[in-house]
Amino acid sequence: MTRLLGAFLITCALFGQATNPPPAPPAAPTAFTVASIKPNKSSDDRFMLRPMPGGGLSATGVTLKMLMGLAYGVFAYQISGGPAWIGTERWDIEAKTDGVQGQLPLAQSSALLRALIEERFQLKVRRESKEMPVYELVVTKNGSKLKPNPDDPAKAKPSAMLGRGSGTFTNSSMAVLAARLSQQLGRPVSDHTGLKGGYDFTLEWTPAPGEGSAEAIGLPPRADPPAAGESNGPSIFTALQDQLGLKLEPQKGPVDMIIIDHVERASEN
């Protein structure tokens, strides 16, 4: 969902000409102009979160833990501390920003979200590096089975869909695959394949209990969890090797963590 905000610089001194400089672009907003945060009173598992044109944000049924993941650029397993309600109680948010044309870049929209939750939830956090179990994504000794995307890299649109037990990737990099696996497995996965460019592939496996659960994105457990898959199906580890020629090797390494020092429920408004 990364978007690019165009920017330009004109330098007249190189040509020895005196011209009027272009007007400076408006400063990036540092906070939402108007924001409403209310407890979500529905009893279903549905949620929605999307950036709105003009720098706004609309969210339904999201938890603070999910918002923190987006605001600080981390997965749910990288958030530590705080009361249990940050990952169970749901909220509805409508926020708007004046003077913005189109969509904001990801970095700016994340900064607005950070400012919002830090103010309204009285959230105070710090970053720490912690030694934790991690995975390294590598090519097996028999080599990769991946096929490069045949289209012009400048025209091929990358996409990566990884659900419960299946995934479809188009013009996808190995870094993107590693990120999807990290969320699926609840453990950091880094790309050590050495494979460059984009690839088209699918992946089919039988999820283990708890794998790819709602908690992986900071949501409460589903009221009706999906039924367990066929026990004779391949695990995601076996599927990666057999179907893609890739392997997950367990290691230990530093993981960036968000530690909650203080948080309060937002007052309804």
Side-chain angles (χ1 to χ4, degrees), residues 105-126:
L106 177 60
Q108 290 185 21
S109 59
S110 296
L112 288 178
L113 183 55
R114 284 196 301 275
L116 177 66
I117 62 177
E118 287 174 0
E119 176 188 0
R120 301 296 285 277
F121 289 91
Q122 297 297 297
L123 180 63
K124 293 179 174 59
V125 303
R126 53 191 162 86

Side-chain angles (χ1 to χ4, degrees), residues 14-39:
L14 294 176
F15 303 96
Q17 299 176 351
T19 60
N20 294 325
T30 58
F32 289 113
T33 307
V34 179
S36 169
I37 301 180
K38 299 179 179 180

